[in-house]
């Protein structure tokens, strides 16, 4: 069982200011993430915002317009900052609010900070232009950039006392991260291709005649693009089904947070499945009211109860 260490009721003014900064970053830049973390109690919401703000910094370095060697240097600087956080060398009056908030989070919750090292490793893979021959290859990348975030988040959420199978919670959190990342990859296939990146496995692209890539609003001539998308959608659904086994292990509001974030991505997956070529024409997204509905559904506990029933059936 992973227990959450609740922070002290008293949080100093500098730390509160640092958390406020991280929450502002999250609110402005996290299109889907913010809907989930709004459902958390204040200490956990702040901690998740700190994790997001640090992760956003790493992602922004990788996605920016700097020369590759400059990106690599900045990513290593960010890793050095993470080392300072890990070793307790960041004071409350440090000038970097993300570092201050993350340091407080690391003291208050048992977050495995090595997951942020994995995120940096994954973004370095992007900078170096790595491609992936097989699903197993891509899975390794997804574990760095998304599975690790799932495991970090679990450090904030904790698991409920007596939860069945709680020793596997990190595995399920990791798998749910993979599901979200594969959905991201499908959604952003045209945008990534425009930026010179290809994430889908070369084996899968070849199988469906899509090795030429996606540099326009139409699939490659003679390809079975819809077949490729439906193949990857089935893979993502399998990952979601496995990852959802985490939900019954969480308290109500943590489960609602996870169900909201995962539910938004599952609905994106539904839209992509219905119209595969939409991802070549532009970014597929959900309107705000639909995201809010998914968040309310998560708070109701429907998804957690469904996952719990499936888990009980498996153990029957």
């Amino acid at each position: 069982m992973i227990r959450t260490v609740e922070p002290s009721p008293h949080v100093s003014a500098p730390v509160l200011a640092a958390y406020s900064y991280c929450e502002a970053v999250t609110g402005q830049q996290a299109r889907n993430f913010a809907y989930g973390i709004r459902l958390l109690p204040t200490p956990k919401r702040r901690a998740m915002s700190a994790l997001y703000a640090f992760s956003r910094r790493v992602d922004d370095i990788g996605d920016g317009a700097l020369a590759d060697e400059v990106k690599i240097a900045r990513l290593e600087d960010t890793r050095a900052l993470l080392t300072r956080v890990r070793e307790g060398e960041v004071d409350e009056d440090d000038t970097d609010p993300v570092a201050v908030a993350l340091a407080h989070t690391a003291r208050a919750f048992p977050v495995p900070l090595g997951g942020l090292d994995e995120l940096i490793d994954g973004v370095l893979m992007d900078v170096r232009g790595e491609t992936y021959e097989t699903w197993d290859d891509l899975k390794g990348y997804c574990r760095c950039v998304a599975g690790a975030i799932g495991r970090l988040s679990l450090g904030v959420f904790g698991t409920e006392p007596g939860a069945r199978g709680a020793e596997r919670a990190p595995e399920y959190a990791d798998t749910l991260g993979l599901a979200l990342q594969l959905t991201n990859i499908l959604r952003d296939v045209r945008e990534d291709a425009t930026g010179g990146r290809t994430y889908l496995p070369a084996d899968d692209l070849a199988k469906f005649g899509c090795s030429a890539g996606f540099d326009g609003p139409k699939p490659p001539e003679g390809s079975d693009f819809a077949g490729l998308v439906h193949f990857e959608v089935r893979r993502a659904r399998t990952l979601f089904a496995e990852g959802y086994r985490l939900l019954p292990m969480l308290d109500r509001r943590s489960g609602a947070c996870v169900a909201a974030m995962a539910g938004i991505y599952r609905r994106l997956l539904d839209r992509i499945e219905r119209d595969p070529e939409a991802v070549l024409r532009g970014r597929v997204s959900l309107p705000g009211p639909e995201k809010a509905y998914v968040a309310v559904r998560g708070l109701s506990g429907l998804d957690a109860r469904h996952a719990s029933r499936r888990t009980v059936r498996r153990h029957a």
Side-chain angles (χ1 to χ4, degrees):
M1 180 175 65
I2 300 172
R3 294 188 180 276
T4 297
V5 180
E6 295 293 346
S8 165
H10 174 73
V11 180
S12 70
V15 172
L16 283 176
Y19 276 130
S20 293
Y21 174 84
C22 293
E23 290 192 274
V25 169
T26 303
Q28 292 165 9
Q29 300 189 40
R31 296 182 182 91
N32 298 323
F33 188 78
Y35 279 86
I37 68 169
R38 288 172 186 162
L39 305 176
L40 294 169
T42 298
K44 291 183 180 182
R45 188 187 70 242
R46 289 171 178 162
M48 291 295 290
S49 294
L51 291 173
Y52 177 85
F54 187 92
S55 301
R56 180 78 263 164
R57 178 178 296 182
V58 174
D59 285 341
D60 285 346
I61 294 170
D63 292 337
L66 298 170
D68 288 350
E69 60 271 19
V70 178
K71 289 183 180 181
I72 291 171
R74 292 201 176 181
L75 287 168
E76 293 304 339
D77 287 344
T78 306
R79 196 191 300 276
L81 174 61
L82 181 59
T83 298
R84 288 182 56 221
V85 169
R86 183 182 291 112
E87 295 179 355
E89 296 177 357
V90 175
D91 297 325
E92 291 187 356
D93 59 355
D94 194 283
T95 57
D96 186 336
V98 176
V100 172
L102 184 61
H104 185 271
T105 292
R107 291 192 298 271
F109 296 94
V111 290
L113 289 177
L116 293 173
D117 278 304
E118 292 180 56
L119 174 62
I120 294 170
D121 291 338
V123 174
L124 282 168
M125 293 164 76
D126 283 339
V127 173
R128 292 167 179 147
E130 293 197 25
T131 56
Y132 308 96
E133 290 296 315
T134 68
W135 165 239
D136 282 343
D137 295 335
L138 178 60
K139 191 159 53 173
Y141 166 78
C142 292
R143 284 216 155 93
C144 284
V145 299
I149 302 302
R151 286 177 265 120
L152 284 157
S153 300
L154 182 62
V156 174
F157 299 146
T159 55
E160 284 283 82
R164 182 194 293 267
E167 70 280 355
R168 298 189 65 184
E171 173 190 335
Y172 297 142
D174 183 278
T175 300
L176 201 51
L178 264 64
L180 269 59
Q181 186 62 24
L182 182 54
T183 304
N184 265 337
I185 288 169
L186 287 172
R187 181 194 63 186
D188 297 340
V189 66
R190 170 78 187 281
E191 181 181 328
D192 290 332
T194 302
R197 294 177 182 171
T198 301
Y199 290 102
L200 291 175
D203 282 358
D204 295 352
L205 296 176
K207 183 189 304 182
F208 293 96
C210 294
S211 297
F214 312 106
D215 57 357
K218 295 289 185 181
E221 188 70 27
S223 69
D224 181 11
F225 181 72
L228 171 68
V229 170
H230 291 151
F231 177 79
E232 303 297 350
V233 165
R234 287 193 297 273
R235 175 175 277 157
R237 289 196 191 285
T238 299
L239 293 168
F240 272 116
E242 182 72 6
Y244 261 54
R245 296 176 73 177
L246 173 67
L247 293 181
M249 302 175 186
L250 306 178
D251 66 72
R252 179 172 175 266
R253 290 174 71 176
S254 296
C257 173
V258 174
M261 289 188 286
I264 287 169
Y265 278 85
R266 286 181 70 188
R267 283 174 175 256
L268 282 174
L269 205 60
D270 291 342
R271 290 191 172 213
I272 292 167
E273 183 179 37
R274 287 195 297 268
D275 183 7
E277 291 189 24
V279 299
L280 299 179
R281 298 191 296 267
R283 175 177 280 257
V284 177
S285 61
L286 299 185
E290 188 170 354
K291 292 180 182 179
Y293 167 77
V294 175
V296 170
R297 179 183 170 89
L299 195 57
S300 74
L302 283 172
D303 292 323
R305 288 197 293 274
H306 290 164
S308 182
R309 285 197 291 271
R310 288 194 297 269
T311 300
V312 169
R313 284 198 297 270
R314 284 192 178 99
H315 285 86

